[in-house]
Amino acid sequence: MSGGIPPEVEAELFGDDEYRAAFGEDLSFTLDLDKWSTGLDLDVVMDRFRKEIANAVKKEGRLRAIVRSEIFPRLPGRQQAFPEAGIYEVTPEEVSLIHERLLFRGKVDAVTGSSASHDSLPIGISQIGVAVVGYGGTSGAFSQRLFRKEMSSRSTDPMQEAMDYINMRQNRFRGRKDTMSRLARRGIRTYAERAALLSKSSAEWRMGLGNPCAHELLSGSGYMSLLELSLRVLRRLIHEHKKFVFVSDALQDRGFLTMGFALDAGEYVILETLQSDGEELVEGWQYGDRSKRLAWDFVRQSCPHVVKGLFRVSDHSPPRLFYAHREHFHEAACIAMADSILRPERAFPMLLDVAEMSCRSAFGDDGFLGLVHDAYAQADANLQYFSERGMRR
């Protein structure tokens, strides 16, 4: 034992070796302010930036060659692989047909959601909105506003009632309840995006953001009602509609994204189904008996029908993860790539960007906070319940 740290605690402080391996120096060296630069020496900073980035890029180039020559050819033979696994190419003619017959004829709808929140001592308000858009000129916007209501036990003693509120607010951010409310907001938004694709769109193809079987939905975010409704919507999407494509804009599955940089422009690769991801999630999440059984049934029955892949539309842009039904993965990849090629520098479906802009326009922070400020002013509260940080945003 060193420094008075109990052995059982010291055993958990294992990050120093990993820090050294990641950054090439001891954490104690990093934390020594005498070793930090004084001011901003641009020449020194830029020289180090150039060297570090150049070395990283060269390493990625070597890695790319190995992935193309050694890893891609082995994809169909992987354990638990499926026949569709492998690398494919989308031709310019296919892209042109997707533009003419699907995208620009309004046969593809995309949806994204947004959320804005205000939290103060008296009340918490959350606004969740989704927008459905297509190139056909039609769009829909739907929203829900949640008001957190604090309830204290009814008491004839004003002093006791005041103490109940003080204790409740003091413990709000310490316990499971507030964490679960934040999870609920994310889960509701994610659910609403998928539900809107099914019930508020009539397009032949539906496009969404992220993993269709998102963590928030397969876990229910801790809420049985959300789990049941989420699984019902996802089953309809997977087993009945089938014509969907979801594209991720996050740096998730970085190992797979590393493989994606080995793709040439116009190529995509099918990696695996979502079964293993779903099994890992359900195994690690704390469910009740009934909710765990529902989640397991869904993973085993539905996740094998959804495939995960990567596409790349330009040598100068990053690869993107996408998800599609196993029966329609080639057309789904063509749609995602055809929409992404419209902005090759971003290499992300334009329809999803348009949906996001529409959602922000209808339900953005500025409009939401404007309504909140006005309501406080009408209540003669002005800005006394706004934090300084909140007012600066």
Side-chain angles (χ1 to χ4, degrees):
M1 184 175 70
S2 61
I5 301 176
E8 65 273 13
V9 176
E10 189 175 31
E12 297 179 357
L13 304 178
F14 54 81
D16 288 48
D17 291 341
E18 289 156 348
Y19 184 91
R20 188 184 305 109
F23 295 98
E25 64 185 38
D26 289 334
L27 180 55
S28 58
F29 182 90
T30 304
L31 297 178
D32 185 354
L33 293 188
D34 290 334
K35 303 292 194 301
W36 289 30
S37 301
T38 303
L40 185 62
D41 190 336
L42 287 178
D43 290 338
V44 174
V45 170
M46 289 305 301
D47 183 61
R48 183 176 182 187
F49 275 21
R50 293 189 189 101
K51 289 179 180 177
E52 296 285 355
I53 291 173
N55 289 335
V57 170
K58 286 179 181 178
K59 183 178 179 181
E60 288 298 313
R62 293 192 297 269
L63 184 59
R64 181 182 191 276
I66 295 172
V67 170
R68 285 196 71 85
S69 63
E70 301 293 336
I71 296 179
F72 280 164
R74 299 182 184 182
L75 284 175
R78 290 171 58 209
Q79 186 178 5
Q80 297 182 336
F82 54 104
E84 298 92 335
I87 190 167
Y88 301 82
E89 184 178 2
V90 174
T91 66
E93 291 77 18
E94 287 178 302
V95 170
S96 180
L97 284 174
I98 293 294
H99 285 157
E100 295 173 6
R101 296 181 181 179
L102 290 177
L103 282 170
F104 298 151
R105 289 198 176 186
K107 294 185 178 181
V108 182
D109 273 352
V111 63
T112 60
S114 69
S115 63
S117 296
H118 160 74
D119 195 40
S120 66
L121 283 175
I123 192 170
I125 307 171
S126 296
Q127 175 178 270
I128 300 170
V130 295
V132 183
V133 303
Y135 289 120
T138 59
S139 65
F142 313 91
S143 67
Q144 176 64 279
R145 291 164 186 87
L146 309 174
F147 297 84
R148 189 198 69 242
K149 305 176 181 68
E150 293 178 335
M151 302 292 291
S152 68
S153 57
R154 293 184 177 274
S155 173
T156 57
D157 183 352
M159 179 67 173
Q160 183 60 48
E161 184 177 12
M163 290 302 300
D164 287 344
Y165 272 109
I166 290 170
N167 290 329
M168 182 171 15
R169 293 173 179 179
Q170 179 69 12
N171 295 322
R172 181 188 303 164
F173 294 101
R174 293 181 178 177
R176 180 172 177 268
K177 185 176 293 186
D178 191 70
T179 301
M180 293 304 294
S181 68
R182 292 196 297 272
L183 281 172
R185 289 196 294 269
R186 290 199 299 268
I188 292 169
R189 183 182 69 183
T190 306
Y191 164 81
E193 291 175 352
R194 281 113 181 106
L197 278 181
L198 279 174
S199 62
K200 304 300 182 181
S201 169
S202 58
E204 178 182 351
W205 275 85
R206 319 289 167 86
M207 183 183 293
L209 184 66
N211 185 337
C213 303
H215 177 282
E216 298 94 327
L217 304 185
L218 291 194
S219 66
S221 301
Y223 295 89
M224 188 67 187
S225 297
L226 181 57
L227 176 66
E228 290 179 327
L229 289 173
S230 296
L231 298 185
R232 187 182 307 169
V233 163
L234 290 176
R235 281 195 176 92
R236 286 182 55 204
L237 182 69
I238 295 169
H239 297 287
E240 297 176 20
H241 187 74
K242 298 184 179 181
K243 291 188 174 183
F244 61 84
V245 58
F246 282 70
V247 183
S248 175
D249 64 348
L251 281 175
Q252 298 170 331
D253 287 323
R254 293 191 178 204
F256 285 145
L257 285 175
T258 300
M259 295 172 62
F261 275 101
L263 294 170
D264 288 333
E267 290 182 336
Y268 72 93
V269 61
I270 297 297
L271 301 164
E272 61 183 13
T273 71
L274 289 188
Q275 184 170 1
S276 61
D277 285 355
E279 289 174 348
E280 182 178 356
L281 190 155
V282 174
E283 188 66 35
W285 186 261
Q286 292 185 351
Y287 297 89
D289 291 340
R290 179 167 173 262
S291 57
K292 195 176 188 74
R293 186 169 61 253
L294 288 175
W296 270 124
D297 288 345
F298 173 82
V299 167
R300 289 164 178 159
Q301 296 168 9
S302 301
C303 286
H305 296 280
V306 184
V307 298
K308 177 195 299 185
L310 292 152
F311 69 80
R312 199 173 187 192
V313 299
S314 168
D315 292 332
H316 306 290
S317 58
R320 299 292 184 182
L321 274 169
F322 76 97
Y323 307 83
H325 194 279
R326 193 166 175 172
E327 295 178 12
H328 301 284
F329 71 85
H330 184 68
E331 193 171 10
C334 289
I335 289 171
M337 295 172 73
D339 201 26
S340 299
I341 199 66
L342 297 175
R343 293 176 63 192
E345 73 284 354
R346 175 155 160 73
F348 190 75
M350 183 176 285
L351 263 180
L352 286 174
D353 281 341
V354 173
E356 182 182 13
M357 287 186 287
S358 298
C359 206
R360 286 183 178 180
S361 176
F363 311 117
D365 285 347
D366 291 341
F368 170 74
L369 291 177
L371 292 174
V372 172
H373 278 251
D374 181 69
Y376 274 100
Q378 293 294 325
D380 293 327
N382 296 318
L383 300 178
Q384 61 182 298
Y385 292 113
F386 286 80
S387 68
E388 184 180 3
R389 181 183 177 92
M391 289 188 290
R392 286 179 175 176
R393 288 193 311 176

